[in-house]
């Protein structure tokens, strides 16, 4: 079971000296536990990924609505610094902390040159990616992963949430 934001704050953020503030639930993304908050000065978009029955990895959404009410991928012009994706399987839990610039480089965040993704798969270390694309995706994603295994590496947490 995924820890609540209070548990995540107690176990990860407070020991790493990251102050959580301005927590806000996004009503449209309740299925993915969508929320926004600040950690120190960083603006965070957060979702919880879902295990799907037929594919390895977990699926997560990453969209907002434009002025016409149509869903669209987040863009380089949106006010966030990190996209945080909580993942779990049984007793295993972790977070992907993807900086906005990495999201742009990997095609998740829209830029003037390319439209981003409304949803995508993440591959925690406990999932065995089998096809070549999934293996490549998992390889770069794991560079942005934090495990909740004890003891928590607070230096790694600080590093993941450091502005690039």
């Amino acid at each position: 079971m995924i820890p609540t934001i209070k548990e995540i704050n107690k176990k990860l953020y407070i020991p790493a000296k990251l102050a959580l503030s301005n927590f806000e639930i996004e009503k449209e993304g309740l299925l993915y536990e969508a929320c926004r908050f600040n950690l120190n000065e960083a603006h965070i978009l957060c979702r919880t990924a879902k295990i799907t029955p037929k594919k390895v990895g977990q699926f997560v959404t990453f969209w907002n609505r434009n002025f016409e009410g149509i869903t669209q991928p987040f863009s380089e012009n949106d006010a966030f610094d990190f996209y945080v994706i909580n993942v779990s399987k049984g007793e295993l839990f972790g977070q992907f902390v993807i900086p906005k610039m990495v999201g742009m480089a990997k095609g998740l965040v829209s830029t003037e040159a390319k439209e981003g993704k409304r949803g995508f798969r993440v591959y925690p270390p406990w999932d065995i990616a089998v096809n070549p694309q999934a293996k490549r995706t998992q390889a770069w994603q794991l560079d942005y992963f934090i495990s909740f295994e004890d003891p928590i590496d607070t230096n790694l947490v600080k590093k993941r949430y450091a502005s690039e």
Side-chain angles (χ1 to χ4, degrees), residues 121-135:
R121 298 192 82 69
V122 291
Y123 301 92
W126 54 78
D127 285 342
I128 308 301
V130 290
N131 70 52
Q133 177 62 42
K135 287 179 181 180

Side-chain angles (χ1 to χ4, degrees), residues 59-136:
F59 184 79
V60 66
T61 61
F62 190 51
W63 55 266
N64 60 16
R65 289 195 188 274
N66 64 19
F67 292 115
E68 293 84 36
I70 299 168
T71 63
Q72 64 185 8
F74 280 96
S75 88
E76 63 187 324
N77 299 319
D78 289 317
F80 73 96
D81 300 305
F82 296 95
Y83 183 44
V84 174
I85 305 156
N86 295 316
V87 291
S88 71
K89 184 176 183 182
E91 296 298 315
L92 302 169
F93 175 75
Q95 286 186 332
F96 290 96
V97 181
I98 301 174
K100 183 183 203 175
M101 295 300 290
V102 172
M104 290 165 54
K106 297 296 182 181
L108 306 176
V109 177
S110 292
T111 64
E112 287 187 26
K114 185 178 181 185
E115 184 175 55
K117 306 279 185 192
R118 286 174 178 78
F120 55 93
R121 298 192 82 69
V122 291
Y123 301 92
W126 54 78
D127 285 342
I128 308 301
V130 290
N131 70 52
Q133 177 62 42
K135 287 179 181 180
R136 285 191 300 274

